[in-house]
Structure formats: C-alpha cells, structure tokens
Amino acid sequence: MITTPSLQITYLVGVATVQDLGRQGYRALGVPVSGALDLTSASYANALVGNEVNAALIEFVGSLKLRANEDLVVAVTGGLPKVYVGQYEVPSWKPIYLRSGAELAVRPSDRGNVHYVAVAGGVECDVVLGSRSTYVRGGFGCLGRPLKTGDVLSVGKVDVDGLWSRIYGLRPALNIDVRSPKVGEAVVVRATRGVHADQLSDLEVLLRSEYVITLESDRMGYRLDGPALQSASKLGRLPSIPTDRGYVQIPPDGKPIVLMSDAQTTGGYAVALHVIPPDLDILAQARPNCSVRFVEVSVKEAEELTSKYLTELEKPLLTVEESDEYFA
Amino acid sequence: MSSHEVRILSSGGYLIHVDVCRDITPECVRSIHKLYYALRKELSGIVKELVTGVTSIALFYDPRIVSSDELVKKVRELWAWSQRIDLSEIHKPRSFTIPVTYGGELGPDLPSVASWAGLREEEVVELHTSRKYTCYTLGFTPGFLYLGEVDPRIAAPRLETPRVKIPAGSVGIAGKMTGVYGLESPGGWRLIGRTPLQMFDYRRNPPIPIAPGDIVVFRSVSMEEFNRLKGVYVGDYNA
C-alpha cells in the first residue's frame, strides 16, 4: 500500500491556517497578499527543514498538537513556544525528527504570539493564484478555511533519513529573544511617514505615545488603543487608496490600526505611518496587551533595512551546532 | 486635460504612492488609467506590482533593484508623457455586459434610491442601465468593481450604517459610483440589484477578466433569466 505522508491535527485551541510567503501579483484585482504574519519566522521554519522558504506551513496562535503518520522532519518557530514530542520537551527553532505515530505539541510561553510548524516536503495543497496561503474571508487558498481538530494535511514526500543527516543540528544565526516580545513588554517598531502624514497635524502624538494592542486584532489588522489623533476626524472621507500591510491607518475615532497580511487592498482611512517590513514581523509577535511605540525612519533607511530583510527572507542565515541531535 | 504635477510619496522602503488628483471625476480616472498603462508598459521589468486606487496608483518595488529616487524620476517622466497621448494607444478597453435583476429581495435599497431621487423604481433602473460605465478600479475585496460615472439623478449617498454581510454579485450605488461585489463581504453601498453571474473565480487566472479602463453596461433581466444564468462566469458570458 502506498501511503502519502501526512500530519493530523489532534488538538487545537486558537486559530490555525496554512500559509506561505503570500500571494503576490493580484492586489490590482482586490486580492489581499495574505501569507504568514511573521514572514521571517515562516521562512526560517522552512529553511530549518530543508524546504524552499516559500513552502506551505502551519501558522497558529494558541496551542496545537499534531500526529505524524510517517517519519517526518519538522521545525517550530515564531516567538519562543514550548515544544514537546510525546512527553519530552524539545527545542524550538531547530529541526525535529518526528517518528511515525509520534505527537508534536506546541504551547505558547510568555514570549511571542504567532507560531509556525514547517514540515520537510511542505504542506501539500493546490496553488491558488500563485500561493498556498489561506485567505479565510475569500474562502480560498489551501482548505479555504481555518484548520480544525481532525484535519489531515498531506505532506510532500522526501527522503527523511537522507535529509536528516544533512540538516540535524541546524539553527538560525538570529537573535530570537529580540524578536520574541514578552507579554507586557513594549515593542519598538520603525516606520516611515505614511501617505497622509502631512495632513495629520497631530502626527507627533502617534510618535510620542505608547499604544496597546487590543483584543480586536487579527490577521487583517492590529487595533491599537492609546491617545487618539484628533486631526483624522477632520479629514472626512478620503478617496480609497491602494493599501498594504504595515500601513498605520487612522479611522475617524483617531485610534490607529496597523494593517496585517489579510488587509483589504484599498482603504479610505488616513495613513499616518508605514511600518517597515522587518519590524512588522516583530509586531506580529506582540500579543494583545503588549504596547507599541513607533519610531520614524527616513525612506533611505527603510530601503536599506528592507533590502537586507528581503535577502535574509530569501536565504535565511543558518549555522550548524554539531553536538545536538533530536530524535523522538 | 492639463498635465498638472502629481504628488508622489515613498514609504516603507518598497512602495511609491502617486496621488494623481483629489476628486473622483471621469477626467481624473482617465489620467490615472493613462499613467497606469504607461507604467505597466515601461516599468513592468522593474516594478513588482502596480495597483490603482480611484485617485491614485501604488508601485511596489524591490529596493535592491531600484531606489525610490530613481523610480520617482521615471514616474514623473512617464506621467508627463502619458498625459499627452490617447489611452487607446496603450490600452484597448474591452466591453462587458452584466445582467442584473433589480429591486425586491435582490436590491433592497432600490426603494430608498428611488425616494432619494424622487423617481419611480423603474426610472432608477432605466437610468442605471442606460449608461456605459468605466471600470475605475478593482479593490476593497477580491473582484469588487468601482464603476462610474452614475447619472447625478440617482447618485444616492452610501448607507449611514454599513451591512455586515452582502451577497456576492450585489450591485450598489455610492454617490457617483456604482459597484459590483465580487465576493460576499461587508459593505455600505445602496444595493439596487444583483447579477446572477459569478464575478470572481479564484480557479481562473486572472480570476476576473475586467480591468481598469474597461467598459461595463448593465442589462435588466427577469427573475427567470436570473435563475437561468445563476453561476455563469462573467468571462464566459461575455466571451
């Protein structure tokens, strides 16, 4: 009997979807880019299991358990989650050999927010408009809906033992602590001025104050609470402009919304700031009740930082730790 | 129209926003479309993605390949050039017919548009179907069409309180624009009818055949025809 490798979701509390690095090229038709909220963590998770960085993986907020139905290699990234194989705790941000029948459990710690489970071979599902990312509101991409307990995800076939001999001991050359905000900690994100910055007379308020991430935050946007920008309500209804993840919108109530991966492609709210891509990944790791401070950077600085970021996203920086080997 | 200067803003380290005009007018939209197709023609090798809004255009670029300064310079040159030519020289618009069943359950705001206009419902339908609309842009949600310009007599403002859920295919009016919801979504436009056509199909590429600058006309159809055409893809209907 030929079996396809697969992973079954045996437990889920929270929200999980299949994502990759996003659906590029269809914004002009109103299709959101979707993709991982923290692209850096997604890219590293794939690199740690020998996948191409854009392979489909599981993104989730909350707690998740998965059972392997064949020998698989997986890696868990995004913040600093607690990871177990059976009853043994194993490290995040490292390849894990998961024997057939073994159960992988991931629980949040007090650091980070959104986690990724990559599996060697990648989660297999149809490519929709160039991507396997799930866009739940549109009902398309992979399963077209959030994952639920009992779902079985097919995995691309790989020579697991051959792969393991090449990748065991891999770890990222990355300061994971810095990109895993602790609950209650303030996250500092760098941003350039946004499209309507010149028209917001009290933009300084946004740059001087601390804002708190509210519970009404999801893959579409992080809603922040803090001092309101009064000038936004005076602008009235603006013509819809093309928008993107990282845009800091100010609706008439003056409370900022940072657009995230599932954000709509156009919007009519004033755009005060634009968070640079590397820092948006870190913001994604901040949980509700964490606070955020915005720091302004120039377009030149933003271009330099984004260039470095894009290169790292395409080719994550990995080193090898000879001593450890994780079997389960 | 005169070739005024456009306002260009760079942000995020990878995006350029070009504000073409302040108000949504057919003239503004025409100059946007000229610039959009000029940019597509001349910069497709450099720019990753081009997106139109109703009064602006966004360019997504890779800062490792080109800088904002270089791109802004190119956009200014192309703006000046594009405004001197005829749109048909760079983009041949296609025409689409969209069948719509007006009023009743499918168009719950037709009575309010009629009373706003001081007209009978049939007259609203008559005015809505008698114009050739230009596709201003797509956006908001997958396949949502912004079309204009609506006859000023029926240009009723959007609803005070948006609806949470609007069925796919709903046709609405918001001021001088009329629109079609590609997928089920929330929204605040006044719904006057619904098309039986499937406007957005993610299994096709592109998932919607209508592009900015294309022409759309609405045709009033009976409930029987609505049921007969239910689910036909807009591209197949207009093939």
Side-chain angles (χ1 to χ4, degrees), chain A residues 244-294:
Chain A
D244 195 37
R245 62 199 291 276
Y247 270 28
V248 183
Q249 290 186 326
I250 314 292
D253 73 0
K255 304 285 177 79
I257 302 170
V258 186
L259 298 186
M260 301 305 269
S261 301
D262 278 351
Q264 57 187 57
T265 58
T266 58
Y269 293 146
V271 179
L273 298 171
H274 187 169
V275 177
I276 63 169
D279 290 16
L280 192 65
D281 283 1
I282 294 170
L283 180 64
Q285 289 301 345
R287 252 181 248 184
N289 295 324
C290 279
S291 43
V292 183
R293 275 197 306 116
F294 295 102

Side-chain angles (χ1 to χ4, degrees), chain A residues 20-36:
Chain A
D20 58 19
L21 300 186
R23 190 164 278 117
Q24 315 291 341
Y26 295 91
R27 287 183 178 93
L29 302 177
V31 181
V33 69
S34 300

Side-chain angles (χ1 to χ4, degrees), chain A residues 286-308:
Chain A
R287 252 181 248 184
N289 295 324
C290 279
S291 43
V292 183
R293 275 197 306 116
F294 295 102
V295 173
E296 190 183 329
V297 292
S298 69
V299 169
K300 270 242 148 2
E301 288 172 278
E303 284 184 324
E304 280 162 25
L305 294 163
T306 303
S307 293
K308 189 166 162 277

Side-chain angles (χ1 to χ4, degrees), chain B residues 82-102:
Chain B
S82 67
Q83 299 311 297
R84 285 196 299 268
I85 59 164
D86 213 51
L87 180 58
S88 59
E89 290 175 39
I90 38 177
H91 176 69
K92 191 142 179 51
R94 296 171 64 197
S95 288
F96 294 86
T97 298
I98 299 179
V100 176
T101 303
Y102 288 91

